[in-house]
Amino acid sequence: MSSIVVSELEYAPPGADSLFFEVSFGVSPGEHAALVGANGVGKSTILRILAGELVADEGDFSIGGSFLSMTQDVGMARPTDSLRQMLIEVAPIDLRTAGRAMVAAEAAMLSGEDDGMAFATALTDWGDLGGYELESQWAAAARRSVKAPVEDFGTRLVSELSGGERKRLVLDLLLTSGVDVLLIDEPDNYLDIPTRVWLEEQIKACKSTILMVSHDRALLESVATKIVVIEGSGCWVHGGSYKTFPDARARRQELLGDALKRWNDEERRLFHHMKIMKQRAAQNFKNATKANAAEARWEKFVAIGPPPPPVPDQFISVNLRGADSARRVVSLDQLSVGDLFFPFSEEIYFGERVGLIGPNGTGKSHLLGALAGSITPDEGRVSFGPRTSVGTFTQINDRPDFLGRECFDIVRDRTHEDEKAMKSLARYGLAPHARQEFETLSGGQKARLEVLCLELEGHNVLLLDEPTDNLDIESSEALEKALDGFLGTVIAVSHDRTFLASLDRFVMIGDDGEVHSIPDYDLAMTALAAPADIAKVKLVKKLT
């Protein structure tokens, strides 16, 4: 049976307290379930445990039938690898082991370290396990997913494909594999909007049981048939689509009763967990440390006493203030960067929220870089109006000025007071990470820290490159709410359809290098879905 059953799963990172415990849920055959929760609660960790990459401290799980898994950074960590090496990492475990041995044996033969006998043996093992049939699947997926034909997977480098092409190639391979179960982490990252629509169609058509992590609200609403919520160090399950999840969660919170009942329920849960761990310690002394930790957690909870009503959701308070500027904020005069797009002119005015959209590889981030001054245009110029202060959010949170520095120190530089720094970190849910260095934060935590710095710096022009890509849903919604009240101008590159729907108008760069101004969200989505009909969209704009 192609099901997933998880029972009382617990995991603590080395040297840290439990990330989660008593996590139990099931995914029935054919269901497409989504793991949701705040950044850092352990969603990706659960997928890694199920995939066999990590070992749980407690609990059990079972996966019925064959399975394949995909990490969120697939194809991104080692861009100098060959496509063959990348695709071997998402193969079934036996083929993965044989594939790695084959690659290593081939490298040894080519370097002269081996006479080729090991490579011959590795090739035989690869073929016996079905490696050549798998390579045929690679070729078929590549024809559907990669623009330039792939002649040799062993020599074509990962870096020769865009991030979106790498992700689509792997997703195409997995979703058409016919395996019983798929474990997929952040499938939407690096995908443009047309490819996200393709992904939705592929998932809905896929017969495999799927457990995935995603923060793309439009994707979740379209494909998820069950929501597994990781929160409060445990989990609960909403047996419906994401469209009905917010209401279901609100009703669940109402049923929990007043603050005292919630406190009593949690105290009983911690006490019960402590008792179980004590029993296990009595049977095996190796569990003594975990039992002591469970007892300390319960005692600490009881010592604090019943709290005031807790905030049901992760509370992220974003306060982007901005300031007034000249009416014309920025002028683009016959601007072009490289051969990515043809020269074009555009003016953006105070208070506008402008989305830069288009397929992957058309130059949206390069255009944003030209606006930020980090990229020099090949033609034309960018002119900002008086009284403008420009702040930039980077897609991959690439901040060399933050490296090696603790969160508290980064924020303290901008508040100039210790107390204000800690309060600011608390508003963004980062107070527990105040003494962590920037590079040790999760992707979502890095994104929140960067948005916080933009807030504290007080800019009135924000250039945002994929601002919601690594944010959890609550943080994305907080950012959108803050931008709605922001006194200033926003120019954003994004493939997040829910985020884009909050913007005013759009500048679209097509695959053909043409740049189009589109007046609203619905027309923008139409243009992205049918680029060949952009003339009709422009006609609608003229008529309106």
Side-chain angles (χ1 to χ4, degrees), residues 202-224:
Q202 291 296 112
I203 291 177
K204 285 189 282 191
C206 184
K207 302 300 183 183
S208 303
T209 301
I210 298 176
L211 180 62
M212 65 180 177
V213 172
S214 176
H215 296 142
D216 185 321
R217 289 156 285 179
L219 176 72
L220 292 175
E221 289 181 359
S222 175
V223 305

Side-chain angles (χ1 to χ4, degrees), residues 331-346:
S331 296
L332 311 180
D333 183 17
Q334 290 300 300
L335 188 75
S336 70
V337 178
D339 58 357
L340 292 169
F341 48 83
F342 294 116
F344 77 103
S345 298
E346 182 70 57

Side-chain angles (χ1 to χ4, degrees), residues 204-256:
K204 285 189 282 191
C206 184
K207 302 300 183 183
S208 303
T209 301
I210 298 176
L211 180 62
M212 65 180 177
V213 172
S214 176
H215 296 142
D216 185 321
R217 289 156 285 179
L219 176 72
L220 292 175
E221 289 181 359
S222 175
V223 305
T225 59
K226 172 181 283 186
I227 307 297
V228 180
V229 191
I230 309 300
E231 63 180 359
S233 298
C235 85
W236 61 279
V237 175
H238 170 56
S241 76
Y242 190 78
K243 290 180 181 179
T244 58
F245 166 68
D247 289 341
R249 191 182 188 286
R251 287 195 300 271
R252 180 178 185 271
Q253 292 305 112
E254 290 175 6
L255 293 174
L256 288 177

